[in-house]
Amino acid sequence: MDNKMPDTNQRGSFGSNIGFLLSAIGSAVGLGNIWGFPYKMGKSGGFTFLLIYLALAVFVGFAIMLGELALGRKTGFGPVNAYKAVSKKFKWVGWLAIVAPFLIMTFYSVLGGYCIYYIIINLIGLFGNMPTGMDSFVTMITHPMISIGIMILFMIICYLINRGGVDSGIEKFNKVGMPALFVMLIIIIIKALTIPNAVEGLKFMFKPGYAVTGGFIDSAPSALSVLATAGGQMFFSLSLAMGAIITYGSYLDKGESLPKNSVIIVVADTIVALLAGIAVIPAAVANGINNGVPVNEISLGGPKLLFVTLQDVFHDMGAIGGIFGIIFFVLVLLAAISSAISLIEAVSVTFIDRASAKGKEVNRPRTVTIVCVVITIVACLVAADGLGSNGFAPWQFFGMSEPTGAWSEDWLDFMDMFSEGIAMPLGAMMMAIMIGWELKPSFFHDEIHSGYSGKIDGFWGFCLKFIVPIAMFFILLVQLDSFFSFGWF
Ligand code: PHE
């Protein structure tokens, strides 16, 4: 282990455990919860999907969460330096955990910008001209200058928070933002469930097989693909293998219990995903049915779920629709910001660590400025592409005659292919092998038992040695299959 420990005061740290928890939950609760989870749960078998998701969260998600927090706090570094400090063989994995959050940010910022746009159109809608979902969506994605402008606005907000520091920027934002998000979610749920036919949406989510018998989809997905969908979703949703949790762990006080914190983060993220599902799916389904749309034609997946289907729900509510639209998109914006700042921090921390380890003065504002500017420049490509609608999607850009899998359809998927598709499952698999087999879980014994005296080692070691590597290898194959359409699954 590198004996040059960083100067924690210079790097910054969380002011309290609750501040840390809200920030880690803020990182986990994001766009993945609000549109990925509900949609995937419905289409992949409702309650069955939920059970598989929960099992994976316990045996895989929890184990990696605890591993990342322990690695971050023990070394006192972000991902690149943390891996370097504990293992020569695995130090390259640290680089995956900085490239991946960078790439995720190049499209997360564009989606965050979309939320700002929808807040604005709902605000304008309050004064009488409430646009429909499709009109708003098409205008936004086919006007590169609009998409770039709102993305830059989103980046400026995140930049100001990250620049403020760990306790006076990130923690402060999450301490207000997370409770606010929760209250807004409850308001939206109450409104959504009072729309006639909302119960059809609840059945779609919670009744096993109802997506098929209710006519939403033609046939049930295979067990393997449900497992893979649940695994990928769980990983992204918990912010794992992206450097974010290692980074937040490195800012946490030594006396706090890592196993307890890991359980709280996993449980809270899952509860918010379920609540988000109850806020979004019943409203989308009910509004479709009430307008005479056949259930299999209601858009419940991808960006359209929020930006077309849900916007139509607000449009159809009449005069008060704008108010609910604003509440809803502010809530999604808060979720996006709290995740984005953890991604920006995961990239910035490498430069902060480098200065701090060399004993140089840490220049957080300059570091965060450079990181945010570079992300913004690359994100312009993703924003201008407008989800592949403006004529220079990767397949066109690379001169192919037609798309050859999701990776080539738009620049968002192209960035996602490297980050979520390859770096995330590969990084998690390598971390489990490193802790389980190379270092051995006992390497982290003191770290895990600082502030915690219960039993956990046997369970944790078993998960890291066997379950996580196998699960992650499988998820890696499925991600590759879904991006490149190999037809393996
Ligand atoms: N967990 C976030 C979401 O669900 C995304 C994210 C992934 C954030 C990785 C940080 C790190 O949207």
Side-chain angles (χ1 to χ4, degrees):
M1 183 121 180
D2 202 323
N3 51 16
K4 216 191 234 163
M5 293 305 279
D7 173 355
T8 42
N9 291 332
Q10 273 233 5
R11 290 176 84 245
S13 59
F14 287 108
S16 63
N17 195 49
I18 185 76
F20 158 78
L21 274 175
L22 288 171
S23 305
I25 293 170
S27 169
V29 170
L31 300 171
N33 300 57
I34 297 175
W35 87 50
F37 183 87
Y39 161 70
K40 288 177 189 168
M41 181 169 161
K43 290 226 156 152
S44 303
F47 199 64
T48 326
F49 174 91
L50 182 60
L51 290 182
I52 295 176
Y53 184 94
L54 292 178
L56 284 168
V58 172
F59 293 105
V60 180
F62 168 78
I64 295 282
M65 179 69 69
L66 183 54
E68 292 206 6
L69 288 177
L71 180 61
R73 193 171 71 176
K74 185 176 174 78
T75 57
F77 287 126
V80 170
N81 296 280
Y83 277 98
K84 202 155 105 193
V86 297
S87 168
K88 277 210 166 63
K89 257 191 228 154
F90 287 86
K91 72 175 189 206
W92 60 275
V93 184
W95 287 101
L96 287 183
I98 170 176
V99 175
F102 173 83
L103 293 175
I104 295 253
M105 267 313 287
T106 63
F107 64 85
Y108 217 81
S109 56
V110 175
L111 298 170
Y114 288 0
C115 298
I116 297 179
Y117 175 82
Y118 276 78
I119 294 170
I120 298 172
I121 60 161
N122 279 286
L123 256 174
I124 297 172
L126 282 182
F127 299 97
N129 197 7
M130 187 75 167
T132 62
M134 202 41 122
D135 284 349
S136 320
F137 190 63
V138 170
T139 309
M140 177 178 74
I141 62 172
T142 55
H143 287 81
M145 282 338 257
I146 296 183
S147 298
I148 291 176
I150 48 185
M151 177 275 290
I152 292 177
L153 210 54
F154 180 82
M155 283 304 297
I156 291 174
I157 300 173
C158 297
Y159 163 73
L160 292 174
I161 299 170
N162 283 81
R163 193 190 146 103
V166 182
D167 54 346
S168 40
I170 297 173
E171 183 172 352
K172 220 177 186 177
F173 171 80
N174 283 299
K175 270 180 155 171
V176 180
M178 283 302 107
L181 180 148
F182 194 75
V183 172
M184 289 189 243
L185 195 52
I186 300 296
I187 296 175
I188 296 291
I189 288 178
I190 295 172
K191 178 70 191 159
L193 292 184
T194 53
I195 303 177
N197 282 322
V199 70
E200 284 301 302
L202 289 178
K203 284 195 214 155
F204 170 84
M205 278 184 75
F206 291 105
K207 212 171 154 189
Y210 194 71
V212 180
T213 56
F216 290 91
I217 50 175
D218 293 338
S219 57
S222 71
L224 270 188
S225 78
V226 174
L227 191 69
T229 313
Q233 171 63 26
M234 183 271 300
F235 237 73
F236 186 77
S237 184
L238 287 175
S239 299
L240 297 174
M242 290 287 164
I245 299 294
I246 299 181
T247 305
Y248 278 8
S250 76
Y251 295 140
L252 181 61
D253 190 87
K254 285 276 181 201
E256 307 298 346
S257 163
L258 298 185
K260 258 191 215 157
N261 279 345
S262 303
V263 170
I264 296 173
I265 300 165
V266 174
V267 170
D269 182 65
T270 309
I271 291 176
V272 174
L274 276 169
L275 289 178
I278 299 173
V280 168
I281 296 289
V285 168
N287 200 57
I289 293 176
N290 298 343
N291 282 322
V293 181
V295 285
N296 63 345
E297 282 173 24
I298 303 172
S299 283
L300 294 177
K304 279 198 186 142
L305 169 59
L306 297 194
F307 302 122
V308 177
T309 318
L310 258 264
Q311 181 56 31
D312 280 339
V313 176
F314 304 127
H315 172 266
D316 295 347
M317 275 180 192
I320 51 157
I323 296 183
F324 285 102
I326 293 168
I327 296 177
F328 180 76
F329 285 108
V330 169
L331 129 74
V332 187
L333 179 65
L334 288 178
I337 294 174
S338 60
S339 296
I341 55 180
S342 74
L343 290 161
I344 295 172
E345 192 63 20
V347 181
S348 310
V349 72
T350 303
F351 307 101
I352 291 174
D353 281 346
R354 185 166 291 178
S356 144
K358 281 189 187 153
K360 284 194 198 150
E361 202 189 322
V362 172
N363 192 336
R364 170 176 278 272
R366 195 181 63 193
T367 306
V368 175
T369 307
I370 296 171
V371 168
C372 287
V373 167
V374 179
I375 290 173
T376 306
I377 293 171
V378 183
C380 284
L381 176 68
V382 180
D385 176 44
L387 302 172
S389 55
N390 295 326
F392 57 94
W395 65 277
Q396 294 159 316
F397 191 83
F398 296 122
M400 297 183 298
S401 52
E402 56 188 60
T404 52
W407 74 273
S408 59
E409 277 166 20
D410 54 54
W411 284 101
L412 188 157
D413 275 307
F414 185 81
M415 302 296 181
D416 199 27
M417 180 253 300
F418 287 111
S419 47
E420 212 187 332
I422 299 173
M424 186 192 77
L426 186 63
M429 184 166 83
M430 288 302 147
M431 162 179 258
I433 294 174
M434 179 182 85
I435 302 181
W437 297 97
E438 198 212 5
L439 301 172
K440 309 276 186 289
S442 54
F443 182 81
F444 290 101
H445 181 273
D446 293 350
E447 202 54 47
I448 284 178
H449 289 280
S450 144
Y452 178 76
S453 53
K455 278 198 192 140
I456 193 76
D457 309 60
F459 172 75
W460 188 53
F462 180 77
C463 294
L464 285 180
K465 275 191 166 142
F466 303 106
I467 303 182
V468 180
I470 295 170
M472 289 330 291
F473 180 67
F474 176 63
I475 291 172
L476 177 63
L477 292 185
V478 177
Q479 298 277 28
L480 292 177
D481 190 40
S482 78
F483 280 105
F484 293 99
S485 304
F486 292 131
W488 292 337
F489 293 96

mmCIF file of all heavy atoms in Angstrom, residues 27-33 104 108 233 235-240 242 244 269 339-340 342-343, ligand 1:
data_model
loop_
_atom_site.group_PDB
_atom_site.id
_atom_site.type_symbol
_atom_site.label_atom_id
_atom_site.label_comp_id
_atom_site.label_asym_id
_atom_site.label_seq_id
_atom_site.Cartn_x
_atom_site.Cartn_y
_atom_site.Cartn_z
ATOM 1 N N SER A 27 -26.613 10.169 -5.818
ATOM 2 C CA SER A 27 -25.890 9.625 -6.966
ATOM 3 C C SER A 27 -26.672 8.459 -7.549
ATOM 4 O O SER A 27 -26.840 8.342 -8.766
ATOM 5 C CB SER A 27 -24.494 9.165 -6.519
ATOM 6 O OG SER A 27 -23.888 8.420 -7.531
ATOM 7 N N ALA A 28 -27.161 7.595 -6.672
ATOM 8 C CA ALA A 28 -27.874 6.398 -7.140
ATOM 9 C C ALA A 28 -29.213 6.752 -7.786
ATOM 10 O O ALA A 28 -29.557 6.253 -8.855
ATOM 11 C CB ALA A 28 -28.083 5.446 -5.966
ATOM 12 N N VAL A 29 -29.973 7.616 -7.133
ATOM 13 C CA VAL A 29 -31.293 7.972 -7.664
ATOM 14 C C VAL A 29 -31.107 8.935 -8.837
ATOM 15 O O VAL A 29 -30.630 10.044 -8.676
ATOM 16 C CB VAL A 29 -32.145 8.652 -6.570
ATOM 17 C CG1 VAL A 29 -33.411 9.236 -7.174
ATOM 18 C CG2 VAL A 29 -32.486 7.649 -5.484
ATOM 19 N N GLY A 30 -31.432 8.461 -10.019
ATOM 20 C CA GLY A 30 -31.222 9.319 -11.198
ATOM 21 C C GLY A 30 -32.190 8.952 -12.300
ATOM 22 O O GLY A 30 -33.238 8.349 -12.060
ATOM 23 N N LEU A 31 -31.791 9.299 -13.516
ATOM 24 C CA LEU A 31 -32.657 9.016 -14.656
ATOM 25 C C LEU A 31 -32.923 7.516 -14.769
ATOM 26 O O LEU A 31 -33.986 7.099 -15.208
ATOM 27 C CB LEU A 31 -31.988 9.535 -15.930
ATOM 28 C CG LEU A 31 -31.721 11.046 -15.908
ATOM 29 C CD1 LEU A 31 -30.878 11.457 -17.095
ATOM 30 C CD2 LEU A 31 -33.033 11.814 -15.910
ATOM 31 N N GLY A 32 -31.945 6.716 -14.347
ATOM 32 C CA GLY A 32 -32.114 5.259 -14.379
ATOM 33 C C GLY A 32 -33.330 4.818 -13.584
ATOM 34 O O GLY A 32 -34.068 3.922 -14.003
ATOM 35 N N ASN A 33 -33.548 5.433 -12.422
ATOM 36 C CA ASN A 33 -34.702 5.045 -11.603
ATOM 37 C C ASN A 33 -36.001 5.501 -12.225
ATOM 38 O O ASN A 33 -37.004 4.814 -12.184
ATOM 39 C CB ASN A 33 -34.654 5.719 -10.220
ATOM 40 C CG ASN A 33 -33.423 5.346 -9.455
ATOM 41 O OD1 ASN A 33 -32.318 5.559 -9.921
ATOM 42 N ND2 ASN A 33 -33.614 4.780 -8.294
ATOM 43 N N ILE A 104 -20.297 8.729 -19.638
ATOM 44 C CA ILE A 104 -21.705 8.806 -19.211
ATOM 45 C C ILE A 104 -22.134 10.274 -19.169
ATOM 46 O O ILE A 104 -23.232 10.636 -19.607
ATOM 47 C CB ILE A 104 -21.908 8.179 -17.811
ATOM 48 C CG1 ILE A 104 -21.627 6.688 -17.857
ATOM 49 C CG2 ILE A 104 -23.307 8.483 -17.272
ATOM 50 C CD1 ILE A 104 -22.800 5.765 -17.785
ATOM 51 N N TYR A 108 -25.491 12.133 -20.214
ATOM 52 C CA TYR A 108 -26.339 12.446 -19.059
ATOM 53 C C TYR A 108 -26.630 13.953 -19.047
ATOM 54 O O TYR A 108 -27.728 14.391 -18.714
ATOM 55 C CB TYR A 108 -25.603 12.035 -17.782
ATOM 56 C CG TYR A 108 -26.505 11.461 -16.700
ATOM 57 C CD1 TYR A 108 -26.914 10.130 -16.739
ATOM 58 C CD2 TYR A 108 -26.938 12.257 -15.638
ATOM 59 C CE1 TYR A 108 -27.730 9.606 -15.754
ATOM 60 C CE2 TYR A 108 -27.753 11.736 -14.649
ATOM 61 C CZ TYR A 108 -28.146 10.407 -14.706
ATOM 62 O OH TYR A 108 -28.958 9.897 -13.730
ATOM 63 N N GLN A 233 -29.654 -3.001 -15.167
ATOM 64 C CA GLN A 233 -30.410 -1.908 -14.570
ATOM 65 C C GLN A 233 -29.961 -1.660 -13.130
ATOM 66 O O GLN A 233 -29.730 -0.533 -12.715
ATOM 67 C CB GLN A 233 -31.911 -2.240 -14.625
ATOM 68 C CG GLN A 233 -32.816 -1.292 -13.862
ATOM 69 C CD GLN A 233 -32.784 0.117 -14.410
ATOM 70 O OE1 GLN A 233 -32.489 0.324 -15.588
ATOM 71 N NE2 GLN A 233 -33.058 1.090 -13.564
ATOM 72 N N PHE A 235 -27.152 -2.335 -11.711
ATOM 73 C CA PHE A 235 -25.814 -1.782 -11.640
ATOM 74 C C PHE A 235 -25.766 -0.288 -11.934
ATOM 75 O O PHE A 235 -25.172 0.491 -11.219
ATOM 76 C CB PHE A 235 -24.946 -2.524 -12.657
ATOM 77 C CG PHE A 235 -23.821 -3.106 -11.961
ATOM 78 C CD1 PHE A 235 -24.023 -4.199 -11.146
ATOM 79 C CD2 PHE A 235 -22.581 -2.523 -12.032
ATOM 80 C CE1 PHE A 235 -22.990 -4.708 -10.416
ATOM 81 C CE2 PHE A 235 -21.550 -3.027 -11.304
ATOM 82 C CZ PHE A 235 -21.741 -4.125 -10.501
ATOM 83 N N PHE A 236 -26.429 0.081 -13.025
ATOM 84 C CA PHE A 236 -26.451 1.487 -13.409
ATOM 85 C C PHE A 236 -27.148 2.304 -12.334
ATOM 86 O O PHE A 236 -26.700 3.367 -11.918
ATOM 87 C CB PHE A 236 -27.181 1.643 -14.751
ATOM 88 C CG PHE A 236 -27.130 3.039 -15.296
ATOM 89 C CD1 PHE A 236 -25.987 3.517 -15.910
ATOM 90 C CD2 PHE A 236 -28.232 3.884 -15.194
ATOM 91 C CE1 PHE A 236 -25.936 4.821 -16.413
ATOM 92 C CE2 PHE A 236 -28.189 5.179 -15.697
ATOM 93 C CZ PHE A 236 -27.034 5.649 -16.305
ATOM 94 N N SER A 237 -28.276 1.761 -11.864
ATOM 95 C CA SER A 237 -29.071 2.499 -10.896
ATOM 96 C C SER A 237 -28.322 2.722 -9.584
ATOM 97 O O SER A 237 -28.490 3.751 -8.941
ATOM 98 C CB SER A 237 -30.380 1.743 -10.647
ATOM 99 O OG SER A 237 -31.180 2.482 -9.783
ATOM 100 N N LEU A 238 -27.492 1.758 -9.193
ATOM 101 C CA LEU A 238 -26.760 1.929 -7.926
ATOM 102 C C LEU A 238 -25.452 2.699 -8.105
ATOM 103 O O LEU A 238 -24.675 2.825 -7.167
ATOM 104 C CB LEU A 238 -26.482 0.566 -7.291
ATOM 105 C CG LEU A 238 -27.700 -0.132 -6.672
ATOM 106 C CD1 LEU A 238 -27.335 -1.528 -6.188
ATOM 107 C CD2 LEU A 238 -28.266 0.683 -5.506
ATOM 108 N N SER A 239 -25.200 3.213 -9.300
ATOM 109 C CA SER A 239 -23.982 3.996 -9.584
ATOM 110 C C SER A 239 -22.713 3.194 -9.404
ATOM 111 O O SER A 239 -21.671 3.741 -9.034
ATOM 112 C CB SER A 239 -23.882 5.223 -8.664
ATOM 113 O OG SER A 239 -24.961 6.076 -8.845
ATOM 114 N N LEU A 240 -22.773 1.876 -9.641
ATOM 115 C CA LEU A 240 -21.591 1.059 -9.369
ATOM 116 C C LEU A 240 -20.635 1.038 -10.562
ATOM 117 O O LEU A 240 -21.041 1.266 -11.697
ATOM 118 C CB LEU A 240 -22.029 -0.360 -8.999
ATOM 119 C CG LEU A 240 -22.857 -0.392 -7.703
ATOM 120 C CD1 LEU A 240 -23.390 -1.783 -7.437
ATOM 121 C CD2 LEU A 240 -22.041 0.096 -6.512
ATOM 122 N N MET A 242 -18.431 3.003 -11.568
ATOM 123 C CA MET A 242 -18.246 4.261 -12.296
ATOM 124 C C MET A 242 -17.330 5.197 -11.511
ATOM 125 O O MET A 242 -17.273 6.393 -11.768
ATOM 126 C CB MET A 242 -19.588 4.977 -12.472
ATOM 127 C CG MET A 242 -20.512 4.316 -13.407
ATOM 128 S SD MET A 242 -19.975 4.537 -15.098
ATOM 129 C CE MET A 242 -20.954 3.272 -15.846
ATOM 130 N N ALA A 244 -17.840 6.607 -8.876
ATOM 131 C CA ALA A 244 -18.568 7.579 -8.039
ATOM 132 C C ALA A 244 -18.608 7.148 -6.575
ATOM 133 O O ALA A 244 -18.357 7.948 -5.662
ATOM 134 C CB ALA A 244 -19.990 7.760 -8.580
ATOM 135 N N ASP A 269 -32.428 3.373 -2.856
ATOM 136 C CA ASP A 269 -32.465 3.487 -4.319
ATOM 137 C C ASP A 269 -33.580 2.616 -4.892
ATOM 138 O O ASP A 269 -34.300 3.028 -5.811
ATOM 139 C CB ASP A 269 -31.112 3.043 -4.903
ATOM 140 C CG ASP A 269 -31.081 3.191 -6.422
ATOM 141 O OD1 ASP A 269 -31.147 4.331 -6.896
ATOM 142 O OD2 ASP A 269 -31.026 2.165 -7.121
ATOM 143 N N SER A 339 -27.028 12.946 -9.586
ATOM 144 C CA SER A 339 -26.200 11.875 -10.162
ATOM 145 C C SER A 339 -25.025 12.465 -10.937
ATOM 146 O O SER A 339 -23.898 11.987 -10.831
ATOM 147 C CB SER A 339 -27.036 11.008 -11.115
ATOM 148 O OG SER A 339 -28.055 10.366 -10.406
ATOM 149 N N ALA A 340 -25.312 13.506 -11.706
ATOM 150 C CA ALA A 340 -24.258 14.099 -12.539
ATOM 151 C C ALA A 340 -23.109 14.636 -11.686
ATOM 152 O O ALA A 340 -21.934 14.469 -12.040
ATOM 153 C CB ALA A 340 -24.843 15.212 -13.408
ATOM 154 N N SER A 342 -21.991 13.493 -8.989
ATOM 155 C CA SER A 342 -21.133 12.398 -8.516
ATOM 156 C C SER A 342 -20.237 11.906 -9.658
ATOM 157 O O SER A 342 -19.107 11.472 -9.431
ATOM 158 C CB SER A 342 -21.957 11.252 -7.936
ATOM 159 O OG SER A 342 -22.609 10.510 -8.941
ATOM 160 N N LEU A 343 -20.747 11.970 -10.874
ATOM 161 C CA LEU A 343 -19.937 11.562 -12.032
ATOM 162 C C LEU A 343 -18.815 12.570 -12.284
ATOM 163 O O LEU A 343 -17.669 12.205 -12.546
ATOM 164 C CB LEU A 343 -20.832 11.433 -13.270
ATOM 165 C CG LEU A 343 -21.812 10.243 -13.264
ATOM 166 C CD1 LEU A 343 -22.935 10.451 -14.271
ATOM 167 C CD2 LEU A 343 -21.089 8.942 -13.547
HETATM 168 N N1 PHE B 1 -27.366 5.916 -10.800
HETATM 169 C C1 PHE B 1 -27.645 6.927 -11.740
HETATM 170 C C2 PHE B 1 -29.042 6.738 -12.341
HETATM 171 O O1 PHE B 1 -29.752 5.855 -11.978
HETATM 172 C C3 PHE B 1 -26.641 7.009 -12.842
HETATM 173 C C4 PHE B 1 -25.223 6.961 -12.405
HETATM 174 C C5 PHE B 1 -24.429 5.899 -12.788
HETATM 175 C C6 PHE B 1 -24.711 7.935 -11.558
HETATM 176 C C7 PHE B 1 -23.140 5.813 -12.340
HETATM 177 C C8 PHE B 1 -23.412 7.866 -11.101
HETATM 178 C C9 PHE B 1 -22.630 6.791 -11.490
HETATM 179 O O2 PHE B 1 -29.436 7.458 -13.194
#
